[in-house]
Amino acid sequence: MKPNISMLNAFIRLTAGFTLLAYSTAKLSKEESNSAWLFAAVGAMKVAEGHTRYCPVVDLMTHDETRDPDETALERVINPS
């Protein structure tokens, strides 16, 4: 996977991800909540995107001339090579 987001974007995603994880951890320590689990999942996803500097949504939305025009977006997600 080639990085497709900038360093600034990666730092913003890391900050937002750790903030969401901290919020959800604090909320889960008080009571069991479905929204806290959702925030934890989204936060973990943002931390992973910031760490790898790769966002699958950005990859799907950008146009690349070197790709096969018959390839669908779902095939790119399943096989990102």
Side-chain angles (χ1 to χ4, degrees), residues 1-18 20-21 40-61 77:
M1 291 184 299
K2 289 182 2 182
N4 63 357
I5 59 173
S6 67
M7 286 296 289
L8 178 63
N9 195 332
F11 287 132
I12 292 170
R13 288 173 192 256
L14 282 168
T15 303
F18 282 126
L20 283 172
L21 280 174
V42 171
M45 183 180 64
K46 291 300 161 192
V47 169
E49 288 174 0
H51 179 69
T52 59
R53 290 187 53 210
Y54 176 79
C55 178
V57 175
V58 171
D59 191 34
L60 287 174
M61 295 302 170
V77 172

Side-chain angles (χ1 to χ4, degrees), residues 33-73:
S33 171
N34 288 337
S35 64
W37 285 109
L38 179 66
F39 286 143
V42 171
M45 183 180 64
K46 291 300 161 192
V47 169
E49 288 174 0
H51 179 69
T52 59
R53 290 187 53 210
Y54 176 79
C55 178
V57 175
V58 171
D59 191 34
L60 287 174
M61 295 302 170
T62 56
H63 179 69
D64 190 3
E65 290 82 18
T66 62
R67 294 189 190 249
D68 184 13
D70 295 329
E71 185 179 48
T72 64

